[in-house]
């Protein structure tokens, strides 16, 4: 059955929603008017011609052209997944994008989020089995599903969105789906990318050497953006960024501002400072300066806070005064994953937090690093969505030309691959080195991963998956933590390890407001276990539960209620996996014995991350790296041996979340 653009347009304008046979709401009609303006809508005929003819197609188009919100809907009109028990999937590298876009598309289709349109991200499944026919999901979740159902039979079409991000999971999915397409001629694939450099995908997905996969190009309608560089290098990009935002606010015409920073702490800090300064300006000169609202955007924000980025700017203070302005301070998320209309000014300090792995010393660290030219261009493009804009790059033109790399490297070339290799083995990939990667990782990185998985007993000496490894692969956790959890019943403390791992999976438990650092540190000290940061996390969670999960308790103890709720969600999901794979939930009950057992269980998974005291410092056992205890560490002494959860490199090499251990464990 072939659908035509005409039929779809008639259905969109019709009296009844074909997906639930209800009359359309007024909100639907309002949104539809906007959708009709999108380039993806204008090229519907062309899209269906290609989609019905080809099993695999590549889609490129500028950010904001409608790839993520419109293409999956067009596919639904063709596949009619709801009428034959199938699902159309659209993957996203970022969970926040999957959640936000699913909500938007549910509204656009006049359907209910969590029913017909859903999302599935780690620890949060908003789908209804048998009802959901359009599913936004992280690439990691689809990869996980593939380990249980290699043919992914429930899907009629799979859209790998934001493929230009080249995340680990998307890269592996490309390899798997390329193979799967041969086995399942009924499955359709769409690979979408925001960068125009799609040839690589076309070639990779070519049917024969001579015929690359077809390319569907969505014509962007962007306005010119004027680029400004600094004359001299900026030594303090953070201060410069705030100054620039305020300068734009004072001097430039109506239009919202998007500032790119690197992480949550920096972003919250900037929002506070900008807000205070802007209020001062407004007080000094209410006739010339408009009101300003500063909104943070980063991945650990809850859905309600995320949604604020789409709020209109604040209204004028008086009818003749200047218009209000919205300032969004965001991580990379706003680069291509989420489109915010109304941005006219972009402030780009030229940095982002990037994951860097060095297989030589097995150290993986998140580093604030210069972005690529491609990223800088994407950021600039965000200013030209609705009208001509301006982009302020806080670096010199010479640095842009000389210092920035052209493209970011795909994650598979720079990340640790332990978890990926375990997934591949579980998927039945026999030869990890010769898998059909779009870019093959360094053999050394693969070897390190195989070695680590062997130490963890997930793989035997021949590289075959063990029973333990098979279960480890089922948990959406780093293999070391999965191992810890699975062996914890042997130590009669799986109940506690489950809590600790859930707490480790969320960010920023502790609140430390700039003006209340002392109070926050005092509150933390009361919850601290002097031997173990891991046990401290356990204490916090248990104290919260004992206080009926009361947000006031969290507030007065300077811990984040939101993070605790997230940890609770993670805990529930992990617990149901434990039930499914027969990992008993047990506890010896409170006492010193319990604490020791928890620490012993941690060693079973994290034994590769142990450091020994040498003088005032620590040295890692595996690679002889000099490291320091992170300032957030709550230990009241410096034990001979410690186990650590992560290594981070900031001003110094630090180990964070630390537990004292006994070498005989
Ligand atoms: P692309 O994937 O090509 O970058 P999207 O499909 O994400 O583009 O977005 C297309 C347009 O849909 C945006 O330009 C914006 O106008 C609108 N849009 C997307 N998400 C939202 C939202 N949550 N609220 C309001 N408008 C949105
Ligand atoms: Mg998109």
């Amino acid at each position: 059955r072939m659908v035509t653009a005409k039929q779809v347009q008639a259905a969109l304008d019709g009296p009844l929603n074909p997906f639930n046979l209800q009359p359309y709401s007024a909100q639907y009609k309002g949104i539809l008017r906007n959708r009709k303006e999108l380039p993806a809508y204008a090229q519907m005929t062309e899209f269906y011609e290609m989609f019905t003819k080809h099993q695999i197609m590549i889609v490129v188009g500028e950010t904001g052209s409608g790839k993520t919100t419109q293409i999956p809907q067009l596919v639904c009109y063709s596949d009619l997944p709801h009428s034959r028990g199938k699902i159309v999937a659209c993957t996203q590298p970022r969970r926040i994008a999957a959640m936000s876009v699913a909500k938007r598309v549910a509204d656009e289709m006049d359907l209910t989020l969590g029913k017909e349109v859903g999302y599935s991200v780690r620890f949060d499944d908003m789908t209804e089995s048998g009802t959901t026919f359009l599913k936004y999901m992280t690439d990691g979740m689809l990869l996980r599903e593939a380990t249980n159902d290699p043919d992914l039979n429930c899907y009629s079409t799979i859209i790998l969105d934001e493929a230009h991000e080249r995340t680990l999971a998307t890269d592996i999915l490309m390899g798997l789906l390329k193979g799967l397409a041969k086995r399942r001629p009924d499955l359709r694939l769409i690979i979408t990318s925001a960068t125009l450099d799609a040839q690589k995908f076309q070639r990779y997905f070519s049917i024969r050497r001579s015929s690359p996969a077809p390319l569907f190009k969505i014509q962007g309608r962007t306005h010119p953006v004027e680029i400004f560089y600094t004359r001299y290098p900026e030594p303090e990009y953070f201060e410069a960024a705030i100054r620039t935002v305020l300068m734009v606010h004072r001097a430039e015409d109506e239009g919202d501002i998007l500032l790119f920073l690197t992480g949550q702490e920096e972003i919250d800090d900037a929002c506070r400072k900008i807000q205070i300064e802007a209020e001062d300006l407004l007080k000094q000169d209410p006739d010339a300066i408009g009101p300003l609202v500063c909104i943070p955007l980063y991945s650990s924000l809850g859905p309600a806070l995320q949604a604020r980025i789409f709020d209109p700017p604040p209204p004028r203070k008086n009818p003749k005064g200047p218009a209000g302005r919205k300032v969004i301070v965001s991580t990379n998320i706003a680069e291509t994953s989420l489109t915010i209309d109304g941005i006219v000014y972009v402030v780009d300090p030229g940095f982002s937090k990037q994951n860097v792995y060095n297989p030589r010393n097995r150290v993986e660290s998140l580093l604030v690093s210069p972005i690529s030219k491609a990223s800088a261009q994407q950021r600039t493009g965000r200013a030209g969505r609705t009208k001509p804009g301006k982009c302020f790059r806080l670096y010199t033109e010479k640095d842009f030309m000389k210092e920035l790399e052209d493209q970011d490297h795909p994650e598979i070339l720079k990340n640790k691959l332990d978890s990926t290799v375990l997934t591949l083995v579980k998927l039945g990939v026999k030869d990890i080195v010769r898998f059909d990667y779009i870019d093959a990782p360094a053999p050394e990185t693969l070897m390190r991963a195989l070695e680590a998985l062997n130490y963890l007993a997930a793989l035997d000496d021949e590289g075959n998956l063990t029973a333990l490894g098979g279960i480890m692969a089922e948990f959406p956790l780093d293999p070391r933590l999965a191992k810890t959890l699975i062996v914890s019943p042997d130590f009669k403390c799986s109940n506690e390890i489950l809590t600790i791992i859930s707490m480790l999976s969320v960010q920023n438990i502790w609140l430390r407001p700039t003006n209340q650092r002392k109070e926050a540190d005092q509150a933390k000290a009361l919850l601290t276990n002097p031997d173990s940061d891991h046990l401290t996390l356990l204490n916090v969670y248990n104290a919260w539960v004992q206080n009926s999960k009361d947000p006031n308790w969290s507030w007065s103890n300077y811990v984040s209620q939101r993070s605790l709720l997230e940890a609770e969600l993670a805990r529930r999901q992990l617990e149901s996996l434990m039930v499914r794979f027969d990992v008993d939930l047990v506890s010896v009950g409170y006492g010193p014995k319990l604490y020791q057992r928890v620490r012993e269980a941690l060693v079973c998974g994290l034994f590769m991350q142990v450091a020994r005291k040498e003088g005032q410092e620590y040295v890692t056992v595996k690679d002889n790296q000099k490291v320091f205890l992170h300032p957030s560490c709550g230990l009241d002494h410096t034990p001979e041996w410690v186990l650590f959860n992560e290594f981070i490199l900031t001003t110094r090499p630090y180990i964070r979340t630390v537990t004292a251990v006994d070498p005989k464990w």
Side-chain angles (χ1 to χ4, degrees), residues 179-469:
L180 179 56
K182 297 195 186 103
R183 294 205 301 278
R184 269 193 60 193
D186 63 309
L187 175 74
R188 281 166 190 263
L189 295 180
I190 300 180
I191 318 296
T192 78
S193 164
T195 53
L196 300 176
D197 169 41
Q199 273 182 14
K200 185 166 188 130
F201 300 127
Q202 284 186 276
R203 252 181 280 128
Y204 180 71
F205 284 104
S206 58
I207 305 148
R208 271 163 274 114
R209 206 173 273 272
S210 52
S211 60
L215 177 66
F216 178 66
K217 236 185 189 151
I218 304 181
Q219 302 308 324
R221 265 191 314 247
T222 46
H223 301 270
V225 178
E226 207 178 337
I227 298 175
F228 299 89
Y229 293 95
T230 56
R231 200 157 333 160
Y232 306 102
E234 274 295 346
E236 296 283 350
Y237 75 83
F238 182 78
E239 307 299 328
I242 291 176
R243 219 166 48 229
T244 308
V245 167
L246 292 164
M247 187 264 302
V248 170
H249 182 50
R250 268 200 313 261
E252 298 283 347
D253 294 342
E254 190 171 343
D256 299 332
I257 306 175
L258 173 60
L259 163 62
F260 287 98
L261 288 176
T262 65
Q264 164 166 7
E265 233 167 282
E266 208 177 58
I267 288 171
D268 284 337
D269 206 22
C271 282
R272 203 165 33 237
K273 289 192 167 129
I274 292 168
Q275 199 73 57
I276 292 172
E277 298 265 346
E279 264 145 42
D280 265 2
L281 289 173
L282 183 65
K283 255 184 242 144
Q284 284 164 24
D285 200 351
D287 296 330
I289 305 279
L292 177 150
V293 174
C294 205
I295 304 167
L297 176 59
Y298 43 81
S299 57
S300 59
L301 285 175
L305 290 170
Q306 282 165 30
R308 283 184 60 209
I309 59 171
F310 298 108
D311 289 350
R316 290 164 209 275
K317 275 264 151 49
N318 61 62
K320 278 196 230 81
R325 207 189 291 274
K326 176 165 83 174
V327 177
I328 292 173
V329 187
S330 171
T331 61
N332 264 352
I333 296 174
E335 212 172 274
T336 62
S337 310
L338 290 180
T339 309
I340 307 148
D341 288 336
I343 301 291
V344 180
Y345 307 97
V346 165
V347 179
D348 172 21
F351 291 97
S352 70
K353 231 180 234 172
Q354 294 168 32
N355 201 329
V356 184
Y357 175 59
N358 181 349
R360 294 264 143 68
N361 57 15
R362 298 183 193 79
V363 166
E364 186 176 51
S365 34
L366 266 183
L367 289 180
V368 172
S369 324
I371 58 172
S372 65
K373 286 199 183 80
S375 271
Q377 245 121 30
Q378 284 291 344
R379 290 180 172 191
T380 299
R382 304 286 66 75
R385 281 280 303 138
T386 24
K387 60 179 188 177
K390 293 182 180 174
C391 175
F392 300 89
R393 291 183 174 166
L394 305 181
Y395 37 91
T396 64
E397 186 163 15
K398 191 166 144 245
D399 280 348
F400 174 77
M401 301 303 291
K402 292 238 166 84
E403 303 295 324
L404 299 193
E405 302 220 32
D406 288 340
Q407 300 278 341
D408 292 303
H409 296 290
E411 280 185 4
I412 196 155
L413 301 184
K414 57 180 193 186
N415 284 24
K416 192 166 170 166
L417 298 179
D418 297 11
S419 180
T420 307
V421 168
L422 182 59
T423 307
L424 283 171
V425 176
K426 172 96 182 182
L427 282 161
V429 175
K430 290 276 176 306
D431 188 344
I432 301 293
V433 177
R434 248 162 266 147
F435 179 73
D436 187 5
Y437 300 101
I438 180 162
D439 278 306
E444 193 179 357
T445 310
L446 290 172
M447 291 310 147
R448 291 292 186 199
L450 289 169
E451 185 191 58
L453 291 169
N454 178 237
Y455 290 155
L456 287 166
L459 303 181
D460 64 20
D461 291 346
E462 272 73 57
N464 301 312
L465 194 68
T466 61
L468 172 68

Side-chain angles (χ1 to χ4, degrees), residues 628-648:
F628 298 88
L629 297 183
H630 192 263
S632 67
C633 173
L635 267 50
D636 67 352
H637 57 300
T638 51
E640 190 75 10
W641 296 86
V642 292
L643 152 164
F644 56 94
N645 214 63
E646 55 182 341
F647 172 96
I648 50 170

